[in-house]
Structures are given as structure tokens and as C-alpha cells.
Amino acid sequence: MSNITTITLGELRSRLAWLKDLSDDTEIFFGSGDLTFYRAKTRKYKPNSDTPMLINIEFNEIYAVTASFPDDEPA
């Protein structure tokens, strides 16, 4: 696996600052609408601390199989 791409929480907060004034019933979608939020998980802590240093936000992909292959077709 190559290096993972990260941003700081401060950068994420800055990019999403305009969201803070929206109502709680405002709907959002992820990706092109094909992702669902799964969970946020701590992956690494600061040395000698309970403070998270690396957080992983996970998504699930929604997809539908729309093609069949020759081996899948009835004889």
C-alpha cells in the first residue's frame, strides 16, 4: 500500500466551517451518492496520551451488478 493521504482536523474544520450554521435536518451525500458513512475510528494515539493522532473515517460503497458474463448465463 502506498502512503495514505491525510489532512489535519483543523483543515477539515476550515473547509467545512460553512456547515455549522445549517440546520440538523439538512441532508448530505458522500461521493457521487454511492457512498454511505460507516464509522470513524482512532488508528493512532499521541505518545503517552489518550489523545487521538490519526482518525480513520470509513465509508461503504453502494453498487448494483448490472452486467452478466457468459459463464453466468443459463445454457
Side-chain angles (χ1 to χ4, degrees):
M1 181 172 165
S2 61
N3 291 339
I4 59 173
T5 301
T6 63
I7 61 173
T8 65
L9 183 56
E11 185 178 354
L12 180 63
R13 284 181 178 146
S14 176
R15 289 182 182 192
L16 300 179
W18 61 276
L19 295 175
K20 69 181 176 75
D21 295 326
L22 298 177
S23 67
D24 287 344
D25 62 350
T26 301
E27 294 187 23
I28 62 172
F29 65 92
F30 302 102
S32 297
D34 58 348
L35 299 175
T36 59
F37 175 80
Y38 176 57
R39 65 181 173 182
K41 204 170 176 185
T42 301
R43 295 293 184 186
K44 188 175 182 180
Y45 291 91
K46 291 184 177 184
N48 304 314
S49 173
D50 289 337
T51 304
M53 188 167 105
L54 184 63
I55 304 278
N56 178 213
I57 299 175
E58 298 178 16
F59 297 90
N60 285 325
E61 183 177 6
I62 302 170
Y63 64 92
V65 177
T66 59
S68 61
F69 298 94
D71 291 343
D72 293 340
E73 296 176 4

